[in-house]
Amino acid sequence: AEAVAAMRARLDGMEEDMEAVMEDEKVERQLRIADMEQEKAQNLMDHEKEIMARPRKSWFQSSNEKRAARESNPSSGRRTGWRKTWRP
């Protein structure tokens, strides 16, 4: 019983330290995110002309075209309306 009480007291003493470490890690994470966002904004400002000169992304198939291709070729890999059933 004494060993349990001693360990409990030791853990209670560590609790404050652990909370402080967790708070420090939280602050460091927020600072890392802020630095990344600041660097991204700086890059956008520095390279704005290059970024805007790029062609817009376009998909070679629309969603409807993909669906039609799937329905016309059932062996294309995706199964629509198919569910795995459990068998004992």
Side-chain angles (χ1 to χ4, degrees):
E2 290 178 29
V4 173
M7 184 56 72
R8 181 69 182 165
R10 184 175 174 194
L11 289 174
D12 287 341
M14 294 174 135
E15 187 174 358
E16 291 177 16
D17 294 337
M18 289 189 302
E19 287 176 2
V21 169
M22 288 172 47
E23 183 64 29
D24 289 345
E25 289 176 354
K26 181 179 175 182
V27 169
E28 287 175 13
R29 179 177 182 274
Q30 290 172 340
L31 287 173
R32 265 195 328 272
I33 291 171
D35 286 343
M36 288 184 341
E37 289 175 351
Q38 184 270 332
E39 186 174 342
K40 181 179 178 180
Q42 186 64 43
N43 284 338
L44 286 172
M45 290 186 329
D46 291 347
H47 305 288
E48 181 179 13
K49 289 180 183 176
E50 295 171 34
I51 293 169
M52 294 303 170
R54 295 178 188 161
R56 293 190 65 81
K57 292 181 181 180
S58 62
W59 299 102
F60 65 94
Q61 275 186 326
S62 70
S63 296
N64 291 333
E65 291 171 332
K66 284 188 234 179
R67 187 178 310 110
R70 244 183 302 177
E71 289 171 357
S72 67
N73 185 6
S75 64
S76 65
R78 265 197 166 170
R79 298 181 183 177
T80 57
W82 179 83
R83 284 189 350 171
K84 186 174 184 177
T85 57
W86 181 79
R87 293 187 183 138

